[in-house]
Amino acid sequence: MKENSSTRQRDSNCPTALLFHLPPTPRSPGASREQPRPHSRSDMAAFTKLEDSPMFRKQVNSLEQITDELKQRCSNLHKGCKKFMGSLDEGYAGDLLFADALEAFGAGRDDPVSVAIGGPVMSKFTTAFRELGTYKELLRSQVEHMLSERLTQFINEDLHDAKDCRQRLDRATMGYDQAREKFVSVRKGTRAEVVTGLEEDLHNGKSAFERCRFNLVHALANIEAKKKYEFLESISAVMDAHLRYFKQGFELLSQMEPFIHQVLTYAQQSKEMAMNEQDKLAKRIQEFRTQEEISNLRMASNVNTSTSGDGIHVVGLQSYKKIEALMQSTANGQVEIIKQGYLFKRSENLRGEWKRRYFVLDSHGTLYYYGNKGNKQSEWHHSKLLNRLVYLVASDS
């Protein structure tokens, strides 16, 4: 029989028709020639004959077995859905915790430490992480509503209704069988009212049986109908929710892309400047150490030193006169540091312990030192230096 063009056009627009017109999947050489095929139209038909017969009961039993298997599959899918929702919950909580930690680290603060580490710049990133977290929470709620709740409803209502209808049918079948046996076993001569009662019981039993039978048929047909759209609709809705989730995140980050690149450029420039500063500092340290060594060598060759009874070197008179002359020549000018560094000192009574202190001698003739806590301590003017005996030991350590 030929098929007209309008029918072909209508079938080509039908998604189900497209499924059955797809080219066959290529088989591997070792694969079996037995391939799963779609159910025939008679297999998929919903109870073409409703009379109670062995064929009818076989179809009902077959659909009930499929329903039991479907219930197990739905339960497994629901468990996976719950785990997936749990991971989204953890991801949402993790996003918020990370945003809070970033904010506590310095994002959005204006104190010196926060400004130095880029806190004001990070505040925009903190807001973005919180926004991404809300997208994830929205995705979790959509998965719960579109898939988890629908699976729960399908298991607890549709599948449970079929199971409940089967139990009622079993009880109605037992009652109908008993009523039929009683009616068949009636003997001749039984009173008319007894026969009427048994006949009425048989009629009621048959009515209950038929009602329960058709309730089961309706429940199974409802499941068969929902199988064709319920799960595809739910999973497609979840995929659409994912699409919108990633689209929202992409749009948010796309808007921030110029700012992110600007921050990365600034960080790279700051890194190069810091490395240059580190190189300069290393050179200054090397130059300082070289000058210190040269100064120590010159001092060792030019300064006349003497050793006290305690084995402590005192400053030579010649060096002291040079310092005195420098202090007098710059008495009215800007204060300059003549010498500074760590020395050892002890109190005037010569009984205390030697203590390492940082001394500074300026061009006004003031000699002072700093304590352990960096506080400025005693000062001596140049007029008193000649009358004061200070034991000093140069130390580079």
Side-chain angles (χ1 to χ4, degrees), residues 129-140:
F129 277 113
R130 288 199 174 100
E131 188 71 16
L132 291 174
T134 60
Y135 298 160
K136 193 168 294 182
E137 172 60 18
L138 178 61
L139 174 62
R140 187 210 64 80

Side-chain angles (χ1 to χ4, degrees), residues 3-18:
E3 184 181 17
N4 57 39
S5 59
S6 61
T7 304
R8 287 196 301 269
Q9 181 66 25
R10 184 173 62 253
D11 290 344
S12 64
N13 294 330
C14 176
T16 306
L18 291 176

Side-chain angles (χ1 to χ4, degrees), residues 351-364:
R351 294 180 181 179
E353 297 180 355
W354 290 95
K355 298 180 179 180
R356 188 171 181 264
R357 296 291 183 266
Y358 190 84
F359 280 84
V360 177
L361 176 63
D362 60 27
S363 57
H364 281 180

Side-chain angles (χ1 to χ4, degrees), residues 42-247:
S42 60
D43 293 335
M44 299 299 293
F47 300 101
T48 55
K49 295 182 179 181
L50 296 178
E51 294 83 0
D52 186 19
S53 64
M55 289 71 73
F56 173 84
R57 296 192 178 192
K58 181 179 179 180
Q59 186 179 10
V60 169
N61 292 333
S62 177
L63 291 177
E64 286 182 310
Q65 291 177 0
I66 294 175
T67 300
D68 292 337
E69 180 183 355
L70 182 61
K71 181 179 181 180
Q72 184 61 40
R73 292 190 183 190
C74 290
S75 299
N76 293 336
L77 179 59
H78 188 257
K79 290 179 182 178
C81 182
K82 284 291 186 182
K83 290 183 179 179
F84 178 58
M85 290 165 51
S87 66
L88 290 176
D89 267 333
E90 293 178 0
Y92 170 66
D95 287 342
L96 295 187
L97 288 175
F98 180 71
D100 293 341
L102 190 59
E103 187 174 38
F105 178 71
R109 297 187 178 185
D110 56 357
D111 58 278
V113 176
S114 299
V115 172
I117 61 178
V121 177
M122 294 180 188
S123 60
K124 206 164 187 177
F125 297 153
T126 303
T127 304
F129 277 113
R130 288 199 174 100
E131 188 71 16
L132 291 174
T134 60
Y135 298 160
K136 193 168 294 182
E137 172 60 18
L138 178 61
L139 174 62
R140 187 210 64 80
S141 64
Q142 290 174 333
V143 171
E144 180 180 15
H145 175 68
M146 298 174 180
L147 183 58
S148 179
E149 291 181 356
R150 294 181 70 170
L151 281 173
T152 302
Q153 182 179 5
F154 186 75
I155 294 173
N156 295 338
E157 295 183 9
D158 298 317
L159 297 180
H160 185 268
D161 184 42
K163 200 73 174 177
D164 187 57
C165 287
R166 162 50 68 182
Q167 294 174 356
R168 292 181 181 179
L169 178 59
D170 290 340
R171 290 195 295 268
T173 301
M174 184 181 299
Y176 181 39
D177 291 341
Q178 291 174 354
R180 186 171 56 248
E181 290 177 1
K182 289 180 180 180
F183 182 78
V184 173
S185 61
V186 173
R187 297 179 181 180
K188 292 182 179 181
T190 305
R191 292 178 299 176
E193 61 269 18
V194 175
V195 175
T196 303
L198 294 175
E199 187 176 0
E200 185 178 355
D201 291 341
L202 178 61
H203 176 73
N204 293 336
K206 182 178 180 180
S207 298
F209 169 75
E210 291 294 327
R211 184 175 61 254
C212 293
R213 184 168 70 93
F214 289 125
N215 286 340
L216 178 59
V217 168
H218 178 75
L220 294 175
N222 177 56
I223 293 174
E224 286 297 307
K226 282 193 173 182
K227 280 181 2 182
K228 299 176 182 179
Y229 66 87
E230 184 76 14
F231 305 106
L232 283 177
E233 187 178 45
S234 299
I235 301 299
S236 300
V238 169
M239 293 305 298
D240 183 66
H242 277 77
L243 175 63
R244 284 183 277 115
Y245 164 71
F246 286 108
K247 186 177 180 180

